[in-house]
Amino acid sequence: SGHTLIFEATAKPVVKPELDSWDVQVGSFSQSENAIGLRDKLRKKGYKAFVESTKVNGKTTWRVRVGPEIKRETAQELAGKLKTEEKLPAGVYRHE
């Protein structure tokens, strides 16, 4: 019927952008206690804070993040609020 189907040969499935979610990272610590302290402080203020650990150059680092947010714009607004009201360095990252 004249229709040609084109398949992409990709190793991973194509994820639609609207399925992504976003976190605001507000700190990175070498001590888990420091990360948990910041997380708890933010939770008391009503933020959806969590800690995730990652390995950087063989050393474990604990990241404090707030989120996830479905829209990147919402995460960016949240980052602005955290910078202004909590005086925290805030960056927006894709939620893993």
Side-chain angles (χ1 to χ4, degrees), residues 26-82:
V26 291
S28 185
F29 300 90
S30 57
Q31 301 286 317
S32 62
E33 304 82 49
N34 297 341
I36 291 164
L38 179 56
R39 178 201 69 188
D40 292 349
K41 184 179 140 190
L42 289 169
R43 281 185 176 174
K44 281 186 186 129
K45 294 184 176 191
Y47 292 101
K48 296 180 291 181
F50 65 94
V51 174
E52 69 179 13
S53 64
T54 185
K55 285 237 189 251
V56 180
N57 299 328
K59 292 182 182 159
T60 302
T61 301
W62 285 269
R63 295 174 177 156
V64 180
R65 289 186 167 189
V66 178
E69 295 295 340
I70 301 301
K71 292 185 175 172
R72 188 173 188 166
E73 296 76 36
T74 311
Q76 286 167 331
E77 285 168 20
L78 180 58
K81 185 179 175 185
L82 286 157

Side-chain angles (χ1 to χ4, degrees), residues 3-19:
H3 294 286
T4 306
L5 293 176
I6 299 168
F7 293 96
E8 284 186 50
T10 54
K12 56 187 178 187
V14 177
V15 178
K16 293 192 168 106
E18 64 264 28
L19 298 178

